[in-house]
Amino acid sequence: MAAVVSDQPSFRVTADDELDAADRRVSHRRRRSADDLAVERFLRRLGHYRNLLTRYDLLRADWLLAFRADFRKILRNRPQGGIESFLAASPLDHPSFGIAIWLLGRCASRQTSEVLDQLPVDEDVRLRRHYVRALHRVESWPRLRQIARRHPGDPYVKRLLRRNSLDTFARRVSRFAQHVDRSYESDAAMASRMPLWFRDTEWIETPPKDPSWIRELLERIKRWVRGE
C-alpha cells in the first residue's frame, strides 16, 4: 500500500525539463516545451500507477479524482505537443491512452486538431467514445461523419452528429422573437442609459460552459432517469 501511495504521479515541470526544452542542439521542429515534457512523463506514470492499483486490488471507479489539480494545471498550460507525442509513442491498450485523448480534445482547437483527426482509434470500441467526444469538442465534423459511416450502428456517434444539425443560435432567437409580446414596445422613449454593473465578478475569471456541453449533460441525465 505504501509503495502505491509513493508512486502517485503529479504534473510538475522539473529543472531537467527546463534544461531539455532550452537545448539548442535539438532542431526547432523537434523542440518541445517544458510543459510538453512534463505532461508526457505524467501520462506514462499515470498508466503505471493505474496498473499498481489494479495489482493491489485498490482500483476504484473514482480513482482519477485524486488528479483533479493536475488536470486543471494541464488544461491551463495546454501542452498539446506533449500529449500528441505520448499518443504517437503509446499502444492503444496503454492505461492512459483514453485520458490523453480526453486531454487533447480540450487542449486542441479546430485549427490545431490535425493529429487528433488522424488517430486510428475508432475501431477500438473502448476508445471510440472518448475519441468522438474529443472530435465533437474541436468541431471536426468531416472526421465524425467518416466514423459514423464506418460504424452505422453506434448510437453515440449519431447523437453527436445530430447536435451539429441543430438550428443556429440566430435562427432560434428569431423563432423565439416571433412569439414575444411587442404591444408595449412603443412606450419606450429611448434606450436605457443606466451603466452596466455587476455585484459579483467571480465569473469573469471562469468562462461559461459551452452550450453543447450543457446539452450533453442534460441528455445524459435524461437517459439515466429513463434507465437507458
Side-chain angles (χ1 to χ4, degrees), residues 9 39 42-51 53 59 61 63-65 67-68 70-72 74-75 83-84 86-87 90-107 116 119 126-127 129-131 133-134:
V39 74
F42 170 72
L43 289 171
R44 287 198 305 269
R45 293 182 177 178
L46 189 64
H48 173 69
Y49 181 72
R50 186 186 188 281
N51 289 335
L53 292 178
L59 185 65
W63 72 281
L64 285 174
L65 291 179
F67 302 97
R68 285 176 294 183
D70 300 291
F71 291 139
R72 290 194 194 102
I74 292 172
L75 296 179
I83 302 172
E84 292 173 348
F86 170 81
L87 290 171
S90 303
L92 297 182
D93 59 351
H94 193 285
S96 297
F97 206 94
I99 300 171
I101 292 177
W102 174 76
L103 287 172
L104 184 57
R106 290 176 172 268
C107 292
L116 181 64
L119 286 177
R126 182 179 58 89
L127 295 173
R129 174 164 292 202
H130 298 290
Y131 185 49
R133 192 180 299 163

Side-chain angles (χ1 to χ4, degrees), residues 12-92:
R12 183 171 58 88
V13 176
T14 65
D16 289 338
D17 294 332
E18 298 284 1
L19 290 174
D20 291 341
D23 191 352
R24 298 298 179 183
R25 293 173 296 179
V26 180
S27 65
H28 179 74
R29 176 171 296 184
R30 298 181 58 187
R31 192 177 302 164
R32 290 181 292 168
S33 69
D35 286 325
D36 289 336
L37 298 172
V39 74
E40 191 172 358
R41 180 177 62 253
F42 170 72
L43 289 171
R44 287 198 305 269
R45 293 182 177 178
L46 189 64
H48 173 69
Y49 181 72
R50 186 186 188 281
N51 289 335
L52 281 179
L53 292 178
T54 304
R55 182 186 310 167
Y56 290 99
D57 198 23
L58 297 173
L59 185 65
R60 298 172 48 183
D62 60 349
W63 72 281
L64 285 174
L65 291 179
F67 302 97
R68 285 176 294 183
D70 300 291
F71 291 139
R72 290 194 194 102
K73 193 182 301 182
I74 292 172
L75 296 179
R76 184 172 62 248
N77 297 356
R78 305 175 73 87
Q80 182 175 343
I83 302 172
E84 292 173 348
S85 297
F86 170 81
L87 290 171
S90 303
L92 297 182

Side-chain angles (χ1 to χ4, degrees), residues 113-182:
S113 62
E114 181 179 356
V115 172
L116 181 64
D117 291 345
Q118 296 175 356
L119 286 177
V121 300
D122 61 287
E123 295 295 338
D124 191 309
V125 178
R126 182 179 58 89
L127 295 173
R128 188 185 304 151
R129 174 164 292 202
H130 298 290
Y131 185 49
V132 296
R133 192 180 299 163
L135 292 173
H136 180 269
R137 183 172 290 276
V138 300
E139 300 179 345
S140 181
W141 310 124
R143 178 66 169 134
L144 266 177
R145 284 191 288 268
Q146 182 186 40
I147 294 176
R149 287 193 298 267
R150 295 177 64 176
H151 306 283
D154 193 321
Y156 190 72
V157 181
K158 291 181 179 179
R159 200 155 49 235
L160 290 181
L161 277 177
R162 191 162 55 245
R163 291 178 194 155
N164 182 36
S165 62
L166 294 174
D167 286 345
T168 63
F169 178 73
R171 188 175 303 173
R172 281 179 283 160
V173 169
S174 176
R175 187 164 56 244
F176 171 79
Q178 294 175 3
H179 304 282
V180 174
D181 183 9
R182 299 179 179 271

